[in-house]
Amino acid sequence: MDERLKTNLNLWNAMVPVHVDSKGYRVDKFRSGENHLFPIEREEVGDVRGKSLLHLQCHFGMDTMSWARLGANVTGLDFSEKAIEAACALSAELKIPARFLCSNIYDAPNVLSEKFDVVFTSYGALCWLPDLKKWGAVAAHFVKPGGIFYIAEFHPMTQVMANGGGVAHAGEAKKLELEYSYFSTAMREFPPGPDYSDHSVTLEHGSHEWMYTTAGVVSALLDAGLQIEMLHEHPVCCFQMFPFMVRIEGTRYWRIEGDPIPLTLSIKARKPL
Ligand SMILES: C[S@@+](CC[C@H](N)C(=O)[O-])C[C@H]1O[C@@H](n2cnc3c(N)ncnc32)[C@H](O)[C@@H]1O
């Protein structure tokens, strides 16, 4: 495996136990029946009853198992063995039928031969991937003819701002400040820092991350032969990415007063029959 991905793998393996125990991931609520998916992906993917669904970069599987709770036959894939162990343990404990596979996403076609009605990925997946074109090819590879690929992801506009990534990294920032070029594809190397879900834990490993643009994501999917059916931009975020965000009452969403930039990007694409 690429050395940069190995560093990321060490980081993700270290984060898994922290996330399983963190308040941010709401595992207790999931144990008592809460569906961990957000309304955007739930509504835009639609009815999954009886459908086969592959979740790429599934972490420890709460979203994967949430689709299972909605009636899908699910498979989750992630390169972190700690994530896959935790996902399997949770699935056994809660008796939610699900299959979990450990693989680098770029090697996934070598470990999984099936095709799926729905291929799904979400929030915080793309920044870990050095090759977006190859990612699009892998995603499309797993979609059955007539099936869909769906992504809900942090909007690229959020990635060009300073002070993003959660309150632990953001200090006392009061407003959005541009820091990076929207068009830069240069790798960003981050030093070890606090965990994004439990800020009291300092992690030993840094990370290697990559930017993506909306056009880059769309092109990766089109180049892989998928047809874009829907592209939405939303003024809401599934966590407090910037310290000046406000909670939308009665929801798990956050927004910025005045909605100055899009915070979430979602795309549905279909493989032609
Ligand atoms: C922020 S999490 C995604 C969380 C997801 N939205 C969920 O359901 O909880 C990103 C995931 O990508 C995985 N990942 C990062 N690089 C990967 C790679 N090259 N291949 C497969 N999984 C990878 C990490 O292990 C981690 O679980």
Side-chain angles (χ1 to χ4, degrees):
M1 188 188 290
D2 180 321
E3 285 303 319
R4 301 164 305 176
L5 297 195
K6 271 190 200 159
T7 315
N8 289 347
L9 175 57
N10 289 333
L11 172 66
W12 278 106
N13 276 334
M15 284 199 281
V16 169
V18 179
H19 292 179
V20 171
D21 287 342
S22 73
K23 271 197 189 137
Y25 268 88
R26 302 163 73 98
V27 178
D28 285 349
K29 292 200 164 52
F30 183 73
R31 280 196 169 93
S32 39
E34 181 179 83
N35 196 295
H36 196 252
L37 296 163
F38 281 82
I40 289 176
E41 57 268 24
R42 236 176 117 156
E43 284 160 24
E44 292 180 343
V45 170
D47 188 359
V48 293
R49 279 174 298 174
K51 293 189 177 161
S52 58
L53 182 147
L54 172 65
H55 181 183
L56 295 172
Q57 296 177 253
C58 66
H59 201 19
F60 63 100
M62 281 202 299
D63 281 1
T64 325
M65 288 183 268
S66 295
W67 288 118
R69 279 181 168 160
L70 293 170
N73 302 314
V74 301
T75 302
L77 183 138
D78 200 282
F79 79 161
S80 155
E81 62 274 13
K82 296 288 173 207
I84 295 302
E85 278 167 26
C88 290
L90 201 55
S91 145
E93 176 196 330
L94 300 178
K95 298 187 175 42
I96 301 175
R99 169 175 60 164
F100 290 102
L101 301 173
C102 190
S103 169
N104 182 348
I105 189 169
Y106 293 121
D107 299 331
N110 302 327
V111 301
L112 183 59
S113 57
E114 288 153 53
K115 309 276 183 188
F116 297 82
D117 297 314
V118 180
V119 176
F120 168 82
T121 196
S122 72
Y123 311 114
L126 295 181
C127 65
W128 304 101
L129 305 179
D131 189 334
L132 208 53
K133 190 173 167 71
K134 214 167 151 192
W135 162 80
V138 170
H141 168 85
F142 286 112
V143 183
K144 274 185 192 169
I148 63 152
F149 170 75
Y150 178 87
I151 180 169
E153 181 54 285
F154 302 123
H155 195 285
M157 277 305 292
T158 64
Q159 312 287 298
V160 299
M161 300 296 168
N163 307 311
V167 282
H169 303 281
E172 298 300 316
K174 298 267 186 304
K175 62 179 174 56
L176 288 172
E177 265 176 51
L178 270 172
E179 181 169 349
Y180 301 95
S181 159
Y182 181 80
F183 299 100
S184 170
T185 52
M187 187 187 80
R188 298 182 196 171
E189 192 168 350
F190 292 104
D195 181 272
Y196 66 81
S197 186
D198 181 348
H199 307 143
S200 68
V201 176
T202 303
L203 299 156
E204 273 177 44
H205 307 279
S207 65
H208 296 97
E209 299 181 32
W210 290 267
M211 257 292 294
Y212 43 92
T213 62
T214 301
V217 179
V218 166
S219 300
L221 299 173
L222 292 174
D223 289 352
L226 297 174
Q227 295 173 340
I228 309 285
E229 286 194 344
M230 183 218 85
L231 187 156
H232 288 162
E233 297 176 307
H234 312 262
V236 298
C237 186
C238 63
F239 85 118
Q240 189 182 11
M241 184 181 277
F242 300 99
F244 42 85
M245 279 180 154
V246 291
R247 191 75 180 250
I248 304 178
E249 232 181 282
T251 77
R252 284 154 64 210
Y253 281 126
W254 298 80
R255 62 182 279 267
I256 302 172
E257 297 273 19
D259 303 324
I261 60 167
L263 301 171
T264 296
L265 171 73
S266 58
I267 300 174
K268 192 195 266 192
R270 194 171 298 275
K271 184 178 266 190
L273 282 168

